[in-house]
Every structure is written in structure tokens, then in C-alpha cells.
Amino acid sequence: MRPNARVKIQGLYGLPKTRTPVTPAVLDTVAAFFKRHKGSVLALTGAGVSVLSGIPDYRGASGTYRVHGSYRPILHHELVTQHESRQRYWARSFFGIRPAFSADPNEIHRSFAKLEALGYLSGLITQNVDGLHLKAGSRNVLELHGTLKSVRCLNCSHEESRDVFQQRLERLNPGWVEFHKALATTDEKPARRPDGDVDLPPNLSYEDFAYPTCEACDVGHFMPTVVFFGGNVADSVRTQSYEMVDSADALFVCGTSLATFSAYRLVKRAREQGKEVLIANYGETRGDGDATAKLEAPAEELLPHVVGALEPTPSVVSTLAA
């Protein structure tokens, strides 16, 4: 992408006009969906499933784009080509990465891990870069947009852990370390953002913030192993996502408005193959017209109860153990 290219960031979808009551009948319907396709349900999740873990989403009722209308994320080509953009990003991430890594999985993440352990899921594709599905115990997970856990050199592709990179940033920026400590003692905690960075004061200058070059090639600059706006999902990841859709019998979409095409095209692919698509999201999604069924309900009110309905009863467990 050329340096001055404009990137269109997909806009907001509508807030919910109705709410699906999570009644026993609704729970039975969702449980029946998983039973009908047991072992072959592919889950697709987004930022909405991590909100309860303290990580804000983008387009929900309290999402970053909806509450902070002027918020503008870093773009791929800016991080690749512009020194000032790298300074701004790494300074904001310098403050935000530790809270992001300390976040714990919530009941939604744990519910997906249980669904897999019970044999209902064939796999899970997440747009999130927080690693919380894996932390919760899910095993067959494809991180569609990458992970914040590592960084990659733009010159030689050498990778190192984000934790090691953070230590290097701290050694290069002792003044910012002190600023961070001082800020932590005040009531003015920076607002967290979905991508592991934070909002810092608008008049703050980043011109003295230093970031390291690659120790493997001595010249390359790093970027997180995530897909930024304007960037592309790696061919191998896209192919794997298609294969996961193709091998599943049904798709369960949860906690996402499907605004990014990399996720929405998986819903389209499933429907083009005649597969059942169930969407559970509290708010309009790009894929509502493609869904076989849509539940306008928060996942935390739905999934734990569905898992409870699918778990073997004590009598069944005793029978199986006999």
C-alpha cells in the first residue's frame, strides 16, 4: 500500500432494537443446534466476548468507536513507513500492554473451552488478539488477526516475545518508565483500547520516545504480529480459515458485528455451502442477512446456560464411568 493511501474503516452497525429473552425455550434451541452438529460446529468470535475481561470492544454500545467518535487507530502503512507513527504507537502500547496481558478469561471464554472439551466444537476462529481463548483452555484456535504476544521485524521477519520487547523499551526510555509510575499513582488512569494500547493526553509529545531495532539484522523495525487496519491477513491464515469453514457442518458466530471483511467472508462462505449459521450478538451485524437464525442477546447471558444444558448429568457421568 502506498504511504499516502486512504483506508476506509468499516463503520458502526445499529444498536439492538429488541432483546431476545434467554428463556428455557431459547436455551433448548441453541442446545439443539450444538447437538445437531456435535463435533462439527465452528465458532467465530470477536471483541464482544472479551469486554467482561476489561478489554473494550470497537462497535458495541460502549465501544471505542461509538463513545470516542474522534478515535483513529494506527494504520498498517503508517507503522511500516513513518517514524513518528511508530513512536506514537509504541509509547501508547508501552502503557497498555501490561494490563492487556494481565487480563483473565471470562465466562464466555470458559464456555467455549467447555464446548470444545465436551466435543461440540470442531474449532474456533477469533478476531481477537488478546489470547484469552487459549488462556481459557481452548485448543484448536485460529487467531485470524494475529496476537499481541510477539513482535516481528519488518526487514528479516525475526520474531521475539512482546514481553522481551517491553523490557528493551523500558531500558531505552527510563524517563517514560518514571512517567508511567507517576501516572499510576494518580486517579487519571489512561483509557484502554482494544489493541493493547491506551489513550494518552492529546498534548503529549512522543518525539523523545525510543524504540529498538532488530538484534538479528541490526536495521529492521518491529511491529506486533497483528493485522492492523489496512493490512492483510496472511495467505496461510486465510487458507486455514477457509479450511476450517469447509470442514465444519455449522457456524456459530458470537460477540462480533462482522464489520471486517476477513471475518464476514467466512459467514458468506458457510452460507454459500448451505451450512447453518447461528449468530448470537447483542446488536446488528454485517451478517444478519446471511444467518439462519439470530439471537439478540449478550453471550454471557446465553452461553454458560447452554453449556450447562449440554453437560452430562451426574447420573450419565456415573453410567459412563461404570
Side-chain angles (χ1 to χ4, degrees):
M1 176 179 293
R2 62 186 187 279
N4 61 348
R6 293 175 64 93
V7 175
K8 181 181 179 181
I9 298 171
Q10 186 67 37
L12 299 173
Y13 288 89
L15 292 174
K17 297 181 176 64
T18 60
R19 188 186 187 100
T20 303
V22 182
T23 63
V26 169
L27 294 176
D28 287 344
T29 297
V30 180
F33 167 83
F34 281 102
K35 290 177 181 178
R36 192 160 55 247
H37 305 288
K38 185 173 183 179
S40 196
V41 176
L42 175 64
L44 174 61
T45 71
V49 304
S50 291
V51 171
L52 289 181
S53 295
I55 299 174
D57 62 1
Y58 293 100
R59 301 172 177 86
S62 301
T64 297
Y65 292 163
R66 202 174 294 276
V67 175
H68 305 279
S70 62
Y71 176 74
R72 180 180 178 277
I74 190 82
L75 303 181
H76 175 85
H77 74 272
E78 294 173 339
L79 196 59
V80 170
T81 63
Q82 299 173 10
H83 168 64
E84 293 79 7
S85 293
R86 286 193 289 269
Q87 285 181 303
R88 175 179 176 268
Y89 174 77
W90 287 124
R92 291 159 65 98
S93 177
F94 180 81
F95 286 81
I97 202 66
R98 298 287 193 211
F101 284 172
S102 65
D104 291 319
N106 62 56
E107 57 189 333
I108 306 172
H109 300 111
R110 292 191 291 271
S111 294
F112 277 112
K114 288 179 182 178
L115 285 170
E116 183 183 30
L118 290 169
Y120 287 95
L121 296 185
S122 60
L124 185 149
I125 299 174
T126 184
Q127 300 167 75
N128 300 341
V129 296
D130 52 40
L132 291 180
H133 279 298
L134 291 167
K135 201 171 181 179
S138 291
R139 300 176 65 85
N140 187 22
V141 176
L142 176 63
E143 294 175 309
L144 188 65
H145 296 153
T147 174
L148 285 170
K149 297 290 185 182
S150 57
V151 295
R152 179 183 297 119
C153 175
L154 293 167
N155 181 60
C156 72
S157 298
H158 168 72
E159 289 191 18
E160 68 182 48
S161 77
R162 181 63 181 82
D163 189 59
V164 168
F165 189 76
Q166 181 75 5
Q167 295 171 29
R168 296 175 67 193
L169 288 174
E170 290 171 352
R171 289 195 295 270
L172 286 172
N173 298 280
W176 284 80
V177 172
E178 293 306 312
F179 176 46
H180 190 189
K181 291 178 181 177
L183 197 61
T185 64
T186 72
D187 294 330
E188 298 179 9
K189 299 295 187 295
R192 293 171 63 179
R193 296 291 173 243
D195 294 323
D197 59 349
V198 299
D199 247 359
L200 292 175
N203 59 345
L204 187 65
S205 171
Y206 305 108
E207 62 182 14
D208 66 340
F209 191 88
Y211 53 85
T213 54
C214 177
E215 292 182 332
C217 67
D218 292 328
V219 295
H221 299 297
F222 284 98
M223 71 179 296
T225 50
V226 302
V227 180
F228 285 83
F229 286 99
N232 297 313
V233 172
D235 291 344
S236 60
V237 174
R238 183 177 65 250
T239 298
Q240 186 178 350
S241 70
Y242 288 168
E243 290 172 348
M244 292 175 77
V245 171
D246 295 348
S247 63
D249 289 341
L251 185 63
F252 178 65
V253 181
C254 183
T256 173
S257 65
L258 297 168
T260 61
F261 187 69
S262 55
Y264 172 59
R265 65 187 172 193
L266 302 180
V267 173
K268 286 182 62 67
R269 188 178 185 91
R271 288 302 295 141
E272 287 167 358
Q273 295 174 2
K275 296 175 178 178
E276 191 171 358
V277 175
L278 173 59
I279 296 179
N281 188 69
Y282 193 45
E284 182 184 0
T285 85
R286 191 176 184 177
D288 284 357
D290 301 285
T292 311
K294 166 76 181 295
L295 296 174
E296 203 75 56
E300 64 270 21
E301 295 181 7
L302 180 71
L303 274 186
H305 298 294
V306 171
V307 171
L310 293 172
E311 285 182 312
T313 62
S315 59
V316 171
V317 174
S318 299
T319 301
L320 292 174

